Amino acid sequence: MIKLHKINKYFSQHHVLKGIDLSVKKGEVVAILGPSGSGKSTLLRSINFLERPSSGSVEIGALKVNADTASKKDIHALRMATAMVFQQFNLFKNLNVLQNVMIGLTSVKKMDRKKAKEISAQILEKVGLSDRISYYPSRLSGGQQQRVAIARALALNPEVLLFDEPTSALDPELVDEVLSTIKKVAQEGNTMIIVTHELGFAREVADKVVFMDNGLVVEEGPVEKIFTDPGEERTKQFLGKAL
Ligand code: ADP
Ligand code: MG
């Protein structure tokens, strides 16, 4: 379903991704773990060319995009096939909750407003925000704002949902509501790639774990294997506290 092939990324001289290969099956939930600065965000952003890889290719379903030859049309197609949830929510402050979820459907997908509203309202119900649809982001807690961002991503019905540390900007008491929302989304069979520092959550929700360090995939495998019997010393050290 998703294949990254030999992804390299340089920021000027700095080699940040060093030939990453990664496969994700349809319906699979993959957790990307690793220390800060190891290249997790850059890898996630390479999937939809928010960061254009220096070389390598990205396949999502029938779409195959090579970094060397990618056209605007290719990049647009990658963006349409993916939706990302960021650490900092990235909601539109001047739009209410319903409008924040609708906007991707009306502006990007050119859906008519009535249908977009219907779909958005349904999804907001799923993330437990039916009673907040006319609120502006400034009146919501961080956890509620992040659930709006998740609803917005879900509304686009992408091939794959990408999460970049979706709970690390939240006050501790708000983390759980967001993690349980993501867990629910995972259980519905969505294909997801999640960068997270929440090791317990990763263990609960992921099928597969990818452990990165220093721009490389050190180790990957089924979640229970990685958590109970990691093959690499570096993985053991990192997971140490969770084992
Ligand atoms: P992680 O998400 O694992 O913490 P990142 O992908 O954010 O790691 O960063 C990997 C490395 O790339 C870091 O050394 C970081 O400083 C560098 N980096 C990330 N984004 C940029 C950028 N836009 N320009 C220059 N260097 C960057
Ligand atoms: Mg990061």
Side-chain angles (χ1 to χ4, degrees):
M1 156 83 190
I2 297 169
K3 274 209 173 86
L4 306 185
H5 184 63
K6 291 207 168 85
I7 298 289
N8 280 285
K9 178 68 180 179
Y10 290 84
F11 288 113
S12 60
Q13 302 304 313
H14 189 185
H15 199 182
V16 171
L17 298 176
K18 302 173 180 168
I20 305 265
D21 291 316
L22 179 69
S23 303
V24 182
K25 295 183 195 123
K26 194 170 170 60
E28 198 168 40
V29 177
V30 174
I32 300 181
L33 309 180
S36 183
S38 56
K40 305 179 300 294
S41 295
T42 306
L43 180 65
L44 204 67
R45 296 163 67 86
S46 295
I47 297 174
N48 58 7
F49 278 44
L50 273 184
E51 294 290 357
R52 187 178 180 136
S54 306
S55 63
S57 64
V58 174
E59 271 180 76
I60 303 179
L63 178 67
K64 182 167 182 178
V65 181
N66 196 302
D68 301 328
T69 55
S71 65
K72 275 194 174 159
K73 196 170 156 238
D74 290 331
I75 294 172
H76 180 71
L78 282 178
R79 302 273 163 84
M80 295 292 276
T82 56
M84 195 176 259
V85 175
F86 300 89
Q87 196 173 329
Q88 297 294 346
F89 328 138
N90 294 5
L91 299 179
F92 296 104
K93 290 182 170 45
N94 57 331
L95 300 181
N96 70 25
V97 165
L98 183 65
Q99 291 164 336
N100 262 286
V101 179
M102 282 175 67
I103 186 143
L105 296 176
T106 52
S107 71
V108 183
K109 297 221 159 176
K110 312 291 179 206
M111 190 181 282
D112 75 72
R113 289 187 60 82
K114 186 163 177 277
K115 182 138 189 256
K117 198 168 176 175
E118 209 175 281
I119 292 175
S120 302
Q122 266 170 23
I123 291 172
L124 282 164
E125 186 176 356
K126 186 186 299 186
V127 302
L129 290 171
S130 288
D131 56 346
R132 293 288 184 276
I133 59 173
S134 59
Y135 281 49
Y136 285 83
S138 60
R139 290 182 60 209
L140 300 176
S141 72
Q144 289 169 333
Q145 289 186 55
Q146 191 60 305
R147 284 188 284 141
V148 176
I150 293 167
R152 182 174 61 184
L154 277 174
L156 296 169
N157 193 25
E159 305 281 339
V160 57
L161 287 158
L162 308 172
F163 293 83
D164 193 1
E165 297 196 22
T167 60
S168 45
L170 297 173
D171 291 336
E173 72 273 18
L174 302 176
V175 168
D176 278 350
E177 68 182 63
V178 172
L179 293 183
S180 50
T181 302
I182 298 171
K183 196 170 158 191
K184 192 169 159 189
V185 172
Q187 285 164 346
E188 288 172 354
N190 292 293
T191 309
M192 300 169 41
I193 305 177
I194 309 172
V195 174
T196 182
H197 285 307
E198 299 281 346
L199 298 180
F201 167 70
R203 188 168 180 172
E204 236 182 291
V205 80
D207 301 304
K208 178 162 113 175
V209 169
V210 173
F211 176 68
M212 284 181 71
D213 194 14
N214 197 21
L216 292 164
V217 172
V218 173
E219 178 168 10
E220 64 172 272
V223 65
E224 277 311 305
K225 164 82 172 81
I226 300 291
F227 274 95
T228 58
D229 183 27
E232 298 291 329
E233 198 51 42
R234 188 71 196 81
T235 318
K236 260 180 226 175
Q237 280 170 15
F238 183 82
L239 296 177
K241 285 184 200 125
L243 292 175

